[in-house]
Amino acid sequence: MHPWLTEEHTMIRDAVRRFAERDIAPISETLWEEQGFPYDVWRQSGELGFTGLPYPEAHGGGGGSWLSFVIVLEELARIDCAVANSLMANSSVASLLNNFGTAAQKETFLRPILDGSRVGSIALTEPNAGSDAGAIQTRATLVDGGWVINGAKIFISNSGTEVTGPVVLAAVTGRKPDGRSEISNIVVPSGTPGFTYGKKLKKIGWRASSTYELFFDNCRVPADNLLGAQGSGLRQTLSTINTGRILIGALALGILQGSLERSTAYVKDRSQFGKPISSFQALQFKLADMAVHTHAARLMLYQAAALKDEGKPFDQEASMAKLFATERAMEAAHQAIQIHGGYGIMSEYPVSRAFGDAKVLEIVEGTSEIQRMIISRALLN
């Protein structure tokens, strides 16, 4: 047993694994091909308490630990990373609302995304603002007691579904004395006039994670929908993004574990040249590398989550864990396809789908290059 795990963590793992294998695995290929949001799975996740696990019970959460939530995401991603990402992206919104929202905002917007009746979406990225979040151009102007929003967002997870809402939007609300943009977070409910969706975006992975363009044309929301203090949007986002890096790492860990298990089972079953391919040292070494990387990534991620649960600094550990887990997941997914040969490149096989999912993980919540910048700056400072 890992040093951070208790009997409760083991029970959570067993429950999520049963759920994923029973209810997600049979529909995973269909979700991939049809690129459909898993409504039934999302509802069941809420009923089982997975969506709100690490958040306060006072607002409909489970009052659990972040390490427990990492285990939930790991086990879901082991079967289907896109489904796991829906919970991960929802948690980004939940963290912002929980940490900075008013009591009224928490009751109106946080509770539904914790109990699984709605799914939250965070709208930060724009066509010309990705890693450089300070370059966003969407604007919100305070007019007659309300925010009037104009602009566009892209690559927004959990958008465009029948249960999407709220959307936490980052917008320029003024200028700082030094001329830089003042950025604030504003809560925009789905169905607000002036808020529309563009095309659904087709991705290399995460195909069951609904992703759209968002457009705002004189979209008006009440002034009370401002999240926290005006101008504190980037600070709010940066204060929660390190948690997101742990969670993305958890998705990568799921892909690592899944790639290892599928590859091990395949080499035991497949024969070539009159003997099982498990007898070939070249393939044995691939499995050994996967096992080592899976174990190392798990230790790094569990430590980062445990530090967060203890209220200790974890920023550098989160970046290290995210970088290592996502890059090793990409490598493991690649080797799993190599081991499976022709079967591995067919989309009906999970190893093929995991390859696309793994690539996405190296991009979101800060690319590998951004993580290396963060780690090296910490070392040099």
Side-chain angles (χ1 to χ4, degrees):
M1 179 177 289
H2 289 278
W4 298 285
L5 298 188
T6 64
E7 184 176 350
E8 180 182 351
H9 292 125
T10 302
M11 291 173 61
I12 290 172
R13 184 187 301 282
D14 291 342
V16 182
R17 180 166 290 202
R18 286 194 301 271
F19 169 64
E21 292 181 346
R22 183 190 66 229
D23 297 308
I24 301 176
I27 63 172
S28 183
E29 181 187 350
T30 300
L31 292 173
W32 171 276
E33 295 294 342
E34 297 180 356
Q35 301 187 57
F37 183 80
Y39 290 102
D40 288 342
V41 170
W42 178 258
R43 176 182 52 77
Q44 292 175 72
S45 296
E47 292 173 354
L48 291 168
F50 299 152
T51 52
L53 180 61
Y55 295 97
E57 295 179 64
H59 304 296
S65 68
W66 285 96
L67 178 52
S68 296
F69 194 50
V70 163
I71 292 170
V72 169
L73 296 180
E74 172 191 348
E75 288 297 327
L76 293 177
R78 171 179 161 268
I79 299 298
D80 193 309
C81 192
V83 172
N85 176 63
S86 297
L87 272 74
M88 184 273 157
N90 186 73
S91 76
S92 297
V93 181
S95 290
L96 287 170
L97 289 167
N98 182 64
N99 294 343
F100 305 106
T102 63
Q105 288 172 338
K106 291 177 182 179
E107 189 63 29
T108 303
F109 301 119
L110 178 59
R111 183 177 293 276
I113 67 173
L114 295 185
D115 66 23
S117 57
R118 307 291 294 180
V119 59
S121 183
I122 184 166
L124 176 64
T125 305
E126 298 184 1
N128 294 310
S131 297
D132 182 10
I136 67 171
Q137 298 177 6
T138 296
R139 303 193 66 84
T141 306
L142 195 58
V143 179
D144 297 330
W147 294 102
V148 178
I149 305 167
N150 288 280
K153 299 290 182 176
I154 197 168
F155 310 142
I156 308 304
S157 295
N158 287 348
S159 59
T161 78
E162 296 174 5
V163 292
T164 294
V167 173
V168 174
L169 169 95
V172 177
T173 52
R175 290 287 173 186
K176 296 181 178 180
D178 61 6
R180 291 182 299 160
S181 295
E182 172 195 271
I183 296 174
S184 306
N185 285 323
I186 299 172
V187 184
V188 183
S190 287
T192 302
F195 170 23
T196 58
Y197 292 105
K199 63 181 179 179
K200 184 175 184 177
L201 302 175
K202 299 177 181 179
K203 306 182 294 297
I204 191 173
W206 287 10
R207 288 163 63 91
S209 177
S210 185
T211 308
Y212 277 79
E213 299 173 313
L214 277 56
F215 295 102
F216 301 88
D217 183 8
N218 289 324
C219 173
R220 184 183 179 90
V221 298
D224 290 344
N225 282 28
L226 177 70
L227 188 62
Q230 184 173 331
S232 63
L234 279 187
R235 188 175 71 251
Q236 293 171 355
T237 300
L238 290 173
S239 72
T240 60
I241 201 168
N242 286 315
T243 302
R245 287 170 179 153
I246 297 175
L247 303 184
I248 287 293
L251 304 190
L253 178 56
I255 289 179
L256 273 162
Q257 185 67 45
S259 297
L260 174 61
E261 291 177 3
R262 294 175 190 122
S263 298
T264 302
Y266 184 80
V267 299
K268 290 180 178 180
D269 183 64
R270 177 75 165 170
S271 293
Q272 288 288 278
F273 307 106
K275 54 184 176 181
I277 63 174
S278 60
S279 64
F280 300 147
Q281 191 178 67
L283 300 188
Q284 293 171 1
F285 283 7
K286 292 181 188 296
L287 296 179
D289 287 343
M290 284 187 199
V292 171
H293 295 158
T294 301
H295 182 61
R298 183 171 286 117
L299 290 174
M300 294 175 73
L301 287 160
Y302 285 13
Q303 183 205 22
L307 288 172
K308 177 175 172 59
D309 283 328
E310 294 168 5
K312 297 178 180 178
F314 65 95
D315 293 3
Q316 186 170 353
E317 287 82 359
S319 285
M320 287 180 171
K322 195 270 185 185
L323 174 65
F324 182 83
T326 56
E327 291 196 343
R328 297 292 77 77
M330 187 67 210
E331 180 181 316
H334 175 204
Q335 294 299 344
I337 289 177
Q338 197 72 15
I339 289 169
H340 282 73
Y343 294 105
I345 60 175
M346 302 299 164
S347 63
E348 59 262 40
Y349 284 81
V351 291
S352 173
R353 302 194 294 272
F355 183 77
D357 291 341
K359 184 62 226 177
V360 182
L361 298 174
E362 293 183 305
I363 304 298
V364 296
E365 293 294 326
T367 63
S368 292
E369 291 76 15
I370 291 294
Q371 303 312 318
R372 287 185 168 89
M373 287 173 55
I374 292 169
I375 296 165
S376 61
R377 284 175 180 171
L379 293 172
L380 295 172
N381 286 337

